[in-house]
């Protein structure tokens, strides 16, 4: 019996979408070795020359004009992609998508980004007979995610589910599963043991992350943190931003035994286990990984739009606090340095991390839901019919 095939489609606009795809693939494989999942950033796969330029332009816009990004997000928040936009995207950048599907012959397609969701939906409307699931990777639901051809939406919270229902999605087509994280985040290691394994000191530790593009660039924040380097161990993760990493390595302020500088690493799970506090941008994936680990969060540099919504979700529920001024960080570092229990007090909301239940989030739920679908599909062999799709429609 051939393995069940899952095609997971994403895009490179921010690392979280693709990261969610790989997390889902690893989770399903852990659940059922007979599931074969392939993750593709569809635009980059189909357009390897043009796509990097587009992604670089997007990154530059975020860095230099985040207000514009937020304005566009809010302006289009309740407007799904038009048929004209989807057709233009398909014909210019995605006209070979049907051929990719015909070659891979998946039993299920999962999208973790709005663009593949709409491209595959257009193919389904033209006759593609493959189920399409969409995993919404934030704690908000922009209307661009929504298309009537999607068979099931997998969402982070009941609030996001209600947003979809308010926009006309049928209740039976929306499942609250939480955002998928890699199986490494499904459990936690002993803090002392993991610190020994990472060859760092067994002392109060703060992990500083700036998202998958390594946007650790808040000089005032960094300066404030460095003042505590004798009392608190500081781990700066620069992600893929090699230029920033080199800059920090050449800065004498960071030449200290209690400061660790990281570039891209596949061991974020271990670094979270080793840490007592996370300072981060409120990206959906990073926040969900910290949620799974029970790691309190302080939020800085929220991008207007979905990151603001993510921050609002975690702050309101007592999972994190916004760094609104220097006094907030100073108080957290003081408590950490003096061995006081870290608690979040947001109005009447104490830290949820005092409870081992960590609210209702289960890090394996999304992978379980998709794997279960493949075990009991509505149709078996022969459900794929891509040959009837006119290539290039």
């Amino acid at each position: 019996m051939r393995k069940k095939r899952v095609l997971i489609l994403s895009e490179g606009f921010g690392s979280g979408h693709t990261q969610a795809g790989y997390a889902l693939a690893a989770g399903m494989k852990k659940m059922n070795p007979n599931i074969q999942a392939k993750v593709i950033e569809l635009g980059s796969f189909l357009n390897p020359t043009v796509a990097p330029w587009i992604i670089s332009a997007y990154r530059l816009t975020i860095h230099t004009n985040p207000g514009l990004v937020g304005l566009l997000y809010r302006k289009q928040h309740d407007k799904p992609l038009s048929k004209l936009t989807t057709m233009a995207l398909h014909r210019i950048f995605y006209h070979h998508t049907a051929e990719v599907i015909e070659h891979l012959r998946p039993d299920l397609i999962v999208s973790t980004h709005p663009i593949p969701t709409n491209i595959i939906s257009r193919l389904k409307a033209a006759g593609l007979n493959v189920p399409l699931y969409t995993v919404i990777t934030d704690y908000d639901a922009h209307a661009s995610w929504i298309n009537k051809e999607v068979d099931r939406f997998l969402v982070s919270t009941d609030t996001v589910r209600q947003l979809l229902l308010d926009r006309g999605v049928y209740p039976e087509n929306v499942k609250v599963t939480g955002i998928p994280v890699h199986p490494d985040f499904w459990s936690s290691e002993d803090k002392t043991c993991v610190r020994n394994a990472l060859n760092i000191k067994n002392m109060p530790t703060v992990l500083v992350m700036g998202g998958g593009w390594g946007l650790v660039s808040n000089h005032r924040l960094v300066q404030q943190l460095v003042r505590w380097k004798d009392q608190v161990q500081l781990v700066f993760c620069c992600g893929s931003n090699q230029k920033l990493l080199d800059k920090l390595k050449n800065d004498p302020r960071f030449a200290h035994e209690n400061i660790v500088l990281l570039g891209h690493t596949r061991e974020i799970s271990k670094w979270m286990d080793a840490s007592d506090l996370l300072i981060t941008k409120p990206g959906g994936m990073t926040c969900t990984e910290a949620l799974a680990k029970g790691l309190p969060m302080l939020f800085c540099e929220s991008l207007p739009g979905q990151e603001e919504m993510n921050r609002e979700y975690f702050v309101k529920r007592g999972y994190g606090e916004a760094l609104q001024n220097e006094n907030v960080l100073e108080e957290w570092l003081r408590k950490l340095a003096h061995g006081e229990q870290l608690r979040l007090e947001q109005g009447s909301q104490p830290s949820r991390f005092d409870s081992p239940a960590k609210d209702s989030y289960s890090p394996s739920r999304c992978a379980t839901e998709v794997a279960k679908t493949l075990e009991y599909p509505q149709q078996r062999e022969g459900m794929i019919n891509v040959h009837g799709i006119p290539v290039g429609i």
Side-chain angles (χ1 to χ4, degrees), residues 9 16 25 27 38 87 99 159 197 221 242 264 278 293 357 381:
L9 300 177
K38 185 175 184 63
M87 182 181 70
E99 297 173 17
T159 301
L221 170 70
Q242 186 62 41
H264 177 72
L278 171 66
K293 292 290 189 179
E381 298 297 329

Side-chain angles (χ1 to χ4, degrees), residues 63 207-223 225 235-241 243-245 247-248 254 261-262 279-281 300-301:
H63 191 65
L207 175 63
V208 185
M209 298 178 64
W213 283 340
L215 302 178
V216 183
S217 55
N218 187 321
H219 300 295
R220 184 178 298 177
L221 170 70
V222 171
Q223 181 64 32
L225 285 167
V235 180
F236 293 93
C237 182
C238 300
S240 59
N241 193 333
K243 183 178 179 180
L244 175 61
L245 179 62
K247 180 179 179 181
L248 297 185
F254 295 88
L261 302 177
L262 297 175
I279 300 176
T280 183
K281 288 159 46 65
C300 65
E301 297 187 357

Side-chain angles (χ1 to χ4, degrees), residues 205-206 225-226 228-229 232-236 258-260 333:
T205 301
V206 176
L225 285 167
V226 169
W228 286 85
K229 61 188 177 184
V232 175
Q233 187 165 232
L234 303 170
V235 180
F236 293 93
N258 294 340
I259 293 181
V260 180
L333 294 174

Side-chain angles (χ1 to χ4, degrees), residues 25-77:
M28 289 189 294
K29 186 175 181 179
K30 184 178 179 68
M31 292 284 180
N32 184 349
N34 289 319
I35 294 176
Q36 185 179 57
K38 185 175 184 63
V39 182
I40 294 177
E41 289 185 346
L42 188 58
S44 297
F45 181 80
L46 295 175
N47 306 277
T49 302
V50 177
W53 290 89
I54 297 174
I55 293 171
S56 294
Y58 174 77
R59 181 191 304 187
L60 181 63
T61 303
I62 284 179
H63 191 65
T64 60
N65 199 347
L68 175 61
V69 176
L71 177 65
L72 293 174
Y73 184 89
R74 288 187 291 268
K75 186 176 181 180
Q76 300 295 324
H77 187 267

Side-chain angles (χ1 to χ4, degrees), residues 3 16 21 36 39 41 44 110 132 148 155 174 193 222 224 263 283 316 332-333 336 353 368 370 376:
K3 292 183 177 182
Q36 185 179 57
V39 182
E41 289 185 346
S44 297
V110 179
L132 171 62
K148 66 180 182 179
V155 302
V174 188
C193 291
V222 171
Q224 186 179 2
K316 279 187 174 181
W332 276 85
L333 294 174
L336 189 58
F353 293 125
T368 301
V370 179
Y376 305 103

Side-chain angles (χ1 to χ4, degrees), residues 52-193:
W53 290 89
I54 297 174
I55 293 171
S56 294
Y58 174 77
R59 181 191 304 187
L60 181 63
T61 303
I62 284 179
H63 191 65
T64 60
N65 199 347
L68 175 61
V69 176
L71 177 65
L72 293 174
Y73 184 89
R74 288 187 291 268
K75 186 176 181 180
Q76 300 295 324
H77 187 267
D78 297 317
K79 301 177 181 178
L81 291 184
S82 67
K83 291 183 178 180
L84 180 62
T85 299
T86 303
M87 182 181 70
L89 282 170
H90 191 281
R91 289 189 172 179
I92 297 172
F93 297 111
Y94 297 92
H95 57 284
H96 292 301
T97 302
E99 297 173 17
V100 173
I101 297 172
E102 182 174 11
H103 176 72
L104 296 176
R105 300 188 64 81
D107 298 285
L108 173 68
I109 298 173
V110 179
S111 171
T112 62
H113 191 278
I115 291 179
T117 290
N118 283 276
I119 296 300
I120 300 302
S121 293
R122 188 168 187 269
L123 294 178
K124 283 175 65 67
L128 175 66
N129 189 22
V130 182
L132 171 62
Y133 281 21
T134 287
V135 177
I136 297 180
T137 56
D138 284 298
Y139 292 80
D140 184 33
H142 195 281
S144 60
W145 285 99
I146 300 172
N147 194 294
K148 66 180 182 179
E149 298 294 337
V150 176
D151 295 284
R152 179 161 293 182
F153 293 91
L154 306 179
V155 302
S156 54
T157 67
D158 288 319
T159 301
V160 175
R161 179 178 187 272
Q162 189 59 51
L163 282 173
L164 267 60
L165 300 187
D166 292 344
R167 290 168 175 158
V169 179
Y170 294 124
E172 60 269 23
N173 291 346
V174 188
K175 185 82 171 180
V176 178
T177 62
I179 297 172
V181 294
H182 192 279
D184 289 347
F185 295 88
W186 293 5
S187 60
S188 299
E189 298 183 46
D190 175 76
K191 199 175 295 292
T192 300
C193 291

